[in-house]
Coordinates of all heavy atoms in Angstrom, one line a residue:
Chain H
V185 N 33.2 39.3 44.4 CA 32.1 39.9 43.6 C 32.9 40.8 42.6 O 33.9 41.4 42.8 CB 31.3 40.8 44.4 CG1 30.2 41.6 43.6 CG2 30.4 39.9 45.5
D186 N 32.3 40.8 41.4 CA 33.0 41.6 40.3 C 33.0 43.2 40.8 O 32.2 43.7 41.4 CB 32.1 41.6 39.1 CG 32.6 40.4 38.2 OD1 33.9 40.2 38.2 OD2 31.8 39.7 37.6
A187 N 34.2 43.7 40.3 CA 34.4 45.1 40.7 C 33.3 46.1 40.6 O 33.0 46.9 41.4 CB 35.7 45.6 40.1
S188 N 32.6 45.9 39.4 CA 31.6 46.8 39.1 C 30.4 46.7 40.0 O 29.6 47.7 40.1 CB 31.0 46.5 37.7 OG 30.6 45.3 37.6
L189 N 30.2 45.6 40.8 CA 29.1 45.5 41.7 C 29.4 45.8 43.1 O 28.6 45.7 44.1 CB 28.5 44.1 41.6 CG 27.8 43.8 40.2 CD1 27.6 42.3 40.0 CD2 26.6 44.6 40.1
R190 N 30.8 45.9 43.4 CA 31.2 46.0 44.8 C 30.6 47.3 45.4 O 30.1 47.2 46.6 CB 32.7 46.2 44.9 CG 33.4 44.9 44.6 CD 34.9 45.0 44.7 NE 35.4 43.7 44.4 CZ 36.7 43.4 44.3 NH1 37.5 44.4 44.5 NH2 37.1 42.2 44.0
A191 N 30.5 48.3 44.7 CA 30.0 49.6 45.3 C 28.6 49.4 45.8 O 28.3 50.0 46.8 CB 30.1 50.7 44.2
A192 N 27.8 48.6 45.1 CA 26.4 48.5 45.5 C 26.3 47.8 46.9 O 25.5 48.2 47.7 CB 25.6 47.7 44.4
I193 N 27.2 46.8 47.1 CA 27.1 46.1 48.3 C 27.7 46.9 49.5 O 27.1 47.0 50.6 CB 27.9 44.7 48.2 CG1 27.0 43.9 47.3 CG2 28.1 44.1 49.5 CD1 27.7 42.7 46.7
L194 N 28.7 47.7 49.2 CA 29.3 48.5 50.2 C 28.4 49.6 50.6 O 28.2 50.0 51.8 CB 30.7 49.1 49.7 CG 31.7 48.1 49.5 CD1 33.0 48.7 48.9 CD2 32.1 47.4 50.8
E195 N 27.6 50.1 49.6 CA 26.7 51.2 49.9 C 25.5 50.6 50.8 O 25.1 51.3 51.7 CB 26.1 51.7 48.5 CG 24.9 52.6 48.6 CD 25.3 53.9 49.4 OE1 26.4 54.1 49.6 OE2 24.3 54.7 49.7
S196 N 25.1 49.4 50.5 CA 24.1 48.8 51.4 C 24.6 48.8 52.8 O 23.8 49.0 53.8 CB 23.7 47.3 50.9 OG 23.6 47.3 49.6
L197 N 25.9 48.3 52.9 CA 26.4 48.2 54.3 C 26.3 49.6 55.0 O 25.9 49.8 56.2 CB 27.9 47.7 54.3 CG 28.0 46.3 53.9 CD1 29.6 46.0 54.0 CD2 27.2 45.4 54.7
R198 N 26.7 50.7 54.3 CA 26.8 51.9 54.9 C 25.3 52.4 55.2 O 25.1 53.1 56.3 CB 27.4 53.0 53.9 CG 28.1 54.1 54.8 CD 28.9 55.0 53.9 NE 28.0 55.5 52.8 CZ 28.4 56.5 51.9 NH1 29.6 57.0 52.1 NH2 27.6 56.8 51.0
R199 N 24.4 52.0 54.4 CA 23.0 52.5 54.7 C 22.4 51.7 55.9 O 21.6 52.1 56.6 CB 22.1 52.2 53.5 CG 22.4 53.2 52.4 CD 21.3 53.4 51.5 NE 20.7 52.1 51.1 CZ 19.5 51.9 50.7 NH1 18.7 52.9 50.6 NH2 19.1 50.6 50.4
M200 N 23.0 50.5 56.1 CA 22.5 49.8 57.4 C 23.0 50.5 58.5 O 22.2 50.6 59.5 CB 23.1 48.3 57.3 CG 22.5 47.4 56.4 SD 23.4 45.9 56.3 CE 22.3 44.7 56.8
R201 N 24.2 51.1 58.5 CA 24.6 51.8 59.7 C 23.8 53.1 59.8 O 23.2 53.4 60.9 CB 26.1 52.2 59.5 CG 26.6 53.0 60.6 CD 27.9 53.8 60.3 NE 27.7 54.7 59.2 CZ 28.6 55.3 58.5 NH1 29.9 55.1 58.7 NH2 28.3 56.1 57.4
D202 N 23.6 53.8 58.7 CA 22.9 55.1 58.8 C 21.4 55.1 59.1 O 20.9 55.8 59.9 CB 23.1 55.9 57.4 CG 24.6 56.2 57.3 OD1 25.3 56.2 58.2 OD2 25.0 56.5 56.1
E203 N 20.7 54.1 58.4 CA 19.3 54.1 58.4 C 18.8 53.2 59.5 O 17.6 53.4 60.0 CB 18.7 53.7 57.1 CG 18.9 54.7 56.1 CD 18.6 54.2 54.7 OE1 17.8 53.3 54.6 OE2 19.1 54.9 53.7
H204 N 19.6 52.1 59.9 CA 19.0 51.2 60.9 C 19.9 51.1 62.1 O 19.6 50.4 63.0 CB 18.9 49.7 60.3 CG 18.1 49.7 59.1 ND1 16.7 49.7 59.2 CD2 18.4 49.7 57.8 CE1 16.2 49.7 57.9 NE2 17.2 49.6 57.0
G205 N 20.9 51.9 62.1 CA 21.8 52.0 63.4 C 22.6 50.7 63.7 O 22.7 50.4 64.8
I206 N 22.9 50.0 62.6 CA 23.7 48.8 62.7 C 25.2 48.9 62.8 O 25.7 49.6 61.9 CB 23.2 47.7 61.6 CG1 21.7 47.5 61.7 CG2 24.0 46.5 61.7 CD1 21.2 46.8 60.5
S207 N 25.8 48.4 63.7 CA 27.3 48.5 63.8 C 27.8 47.3 63.0 O 27.2 46.3 62.9 CB 27.8 48.4 65.2 OG 27.5 49.7 65.9
I208 N 28.9 47.6 62.3 CA 29.4 46.6 61.4 C 30.9 46.4 61.6 O 31.7 47.4 61.8 CB 29.2 47.0 59.9 CG1 27.7 47.1 59.6 CG2 29.9 46.0 59.0 CD1 27.4 47.7 58.3
L209 N 31.3 45.0 61.7 CA 32.7 44.7 61.7 C 33.0 44.3 60.2 O 32.6 43.4 59.7 CB 33.1 43.6 62.5 CG 33.1 43.7 64.1 CD1 33.6 42.4 64.7 CD2 33.9 44.8 64.5
Y210 N 33.8 45.1 59.5 CA 34.0 45.0 58.1 C 35.4 44.4 58.0 O 36.4 45.0 58.2 CB 34.0 46.3 57.4 CG 34.3 46.1 55.9 CD1 33.5 45.4 55.0 CD2 35.5 46.7 55.4 CE1 33.8 45.3 53.7 CE2 35.8 46.5 54.1 CZ 34.9 45.9 53.2 OH 35.3 45.8 51.9
I211 N 35.4 43.0 57.8 CA 36.7 42.3 57.8 C 37.2 42.2 56.3 O 36.4 41.8 55.5 CB 36.4 40.9 58.4 CG1 36.0 40.9 59.8 CG2 37.7 40.0 58.3 CD1 35.5 39.6 60.4
T212 N 38.4 42.6 56.1 CA 39.0 42.7 54.8 C 40.4 42.6 54.7 O 41.1 42.9 55.6 CB 38.4 44.0 54.1 OG1 38.7 43.9 52.7 CG2 39.0 45.2 54.7
H213 N 40.9 42.3 53.5 CA 42.3 42.4 53.2 C 42.4 43.6 52.3 O 43.6 44.0 52.0 CB 42.8 41.1 52.6 CG 42.4 41.0 51.2 ND1 41.1 40.5 50.8 CD2 43.0 41.3 50.0 CE1 41.0 40.5 49.5 NE2 42.1 40.9 49.0
D214 N 41.3 44.2 51.9 CA 41.5 45.2 50.8 C 41.3 46.6 51.5 O 40.2 46.9 51.9 CB 40.3 44.9 49.8 CG 40.2 46.0 48.7 OD1 41.1 46.9 48.7 OD2 39.3 45.9 47.9
L215 N 42.4 47.3 51.6 CA 42.3 48.5 52.2 C 41.6 49.7 51.5 O 41.2 50.6 52.1 CB 43.8 49.0 52.6 CG 44.5 48.1 53.7 CD1 46.0 48.4 53.7 CD2 43.8 48.3 55.0
T216 N 41.5 49.5 50.2 CA 40.8 50.5 49.4 C 39.3 50.5 49.8 O 38.8 51.6 50.0 CB 41.0 50.3 47.9 OG1 40.5 49.0 47.5 CG2 42.4 50.5 47.4
T217 N 38.8 49.4 49.9 CA 37.3 49.4 50.2 C 37.1 49.7 51.7 O 36.2 50.4 52.2 CB 36.6 48.0 50.0 OG1 37.3 47.0 50.7 CG2 36.6 47.7 48.4
A218 N 38.1 49.3 52.6 CA 38.0 49.7 54.0 C 38.1 51.1 54.1 O 37.3 51.7 54.9 CB 39.2 49.0 54.8
Y219 N 38.9 51.7 53.4 CA 39.0 53.3 53.5 C 37.7 53.8 53.1 O 37.4 54.9 53.7 CB 40.2 53.7 52.5 CG 40.3 55.2 52.3 CD1 40.7 55.9 53.4 CD2 40.0 55.8 51.1 CE1 40.9 57.3 53.2 CE2 40.2 57.1 50.9 CZ 40.6 57.8 52.0 OH 40.8 59.2 51.8
H220 N 37.0 53.3 52.1 CA 35.8 53.9 51.7 C 34.6 53.7 52.6 O 33.8 54.6 52.7 CB 35.5 53.4 50.3 CG 36.1 54.2 49.2 ND1 35.4 55.0 48.4 CD2 37.4 54.4 48.9 CE1 36.3 55.6 47.5 NE2 37.6 55.2 47.9
V221 N 34.5 52.5 53.2 CA 33.3 52.3 53.9 C 33.4 52.5 55.4 O 32.4 52.7 56.1 CB 32.8 50.8 53.6 CG1 33.6 49.8 54.3 CG2 31.3 50.6 53.7
A222 N 34.6 52.4 56.0 CA 34.8 52.2 57.4 C 34.9 53.6 58.0 O 35.4 54.6 57.5 CB 35.9 51.3 57.8
D223 N 34.5 53.7 59.4 CA 34.9 54.9 60.1 C 36.2 54.8 60.9 O 37.0 55.7 60.8 CB 33.8 55.1 61.3 CG 32.3 55.1 60.7 OD1 32.2 56.0 59.8 OD2 31.6 54.3 61.1
S224 N 36.5 53.5 61.3 CA 37.8 53.4 62.0 C 38.3 52.0 61.5 O 37.6 51.2 60.9 CB 37.7 53.4 63.5 OG 36.7 52.5 63.9
I225 N 39.6 51.8 61.7 CA 40.2 50.6 61.3 C 41.2 50.0 62.2 O 41.7 50.7 63.0 CB 41.0 50.9 59.9 CG1 41.6 49.7 59.2 CG2 42.1 51.9 60.1 CD1 42.0 49.9 57.9
L226 N 41.3 48.7 62.2 CA 42.1 48.0 63.1 C 42.9 47.0 62.3 O 42.4 46.2 61.6 CB 41.2 47.3 64.1 CG 41.7 46.5 65.3 CD1 40.7 46.5 66.4 CD2 42.0 45.0 64.9
V227 N 44.3 47.2 62.4 CA 45.1 46.4 61.5 C 45.7 45.3 62.3 O 46.3 45.5 63.4 CB 46.2 47.4 60.9 CG1 47.2 46.5 60.0 CG2 45.7 48.5 60.1
L228 N 45.6 44.1 61.8 CA 46.1 42.9 62.5 C 47.4 42.4 61.8 O 47.4 42.4 60.5 CB 45.1 41.8 62.6 CG 43.8 41.9 63.5 CD1 42.9 40.8 63.2 CD2 44.3 41.9 64.9
Y229 N 48.4 42.0 62.5 CA 49.5 41.2 61.9 C 49.8 40.0 62.8 O 50.0 40.2 63.9 CB 50.7 42.2 61.8 CG 51.8 41.5 61.1 CD1 51.8 41.4 59.8 CD2 52.9 40.9 61.8 CE1 52.8 40.7 59.0 CE2 53.9 40.3 61.2 CZ 53.9 40.1 59.8 OH 54.8 39.5 59.2

Side-chain angles (χ1 to χ4, degrees):
Chain H
V185 173
D186 272 321
S188 59
L189 293 168
R190 287 181 182 176
I193 289 164
L194 295 176
E195 171 65 10
S196 317
L197 292 184
R198 208 175 53 170
R199 289 202 316 158
M200 284 169 121
R201 178 198 62 191
D202 295 343
E203 293 171 18
H204 302 287
I206 300 170
S207 288
I208 296 171
L209 285 189
Y210 177 71
I211 298 171
T212 187
H213 72 280
D214 177 4
L215 291 168
T216 55
T217 57
Y219 174 65
H220 272 247
V221 79
D223 303 302
S224 52
I225 185 167
L226 185 149
V227 182
L228 289 174
Y229 183 76

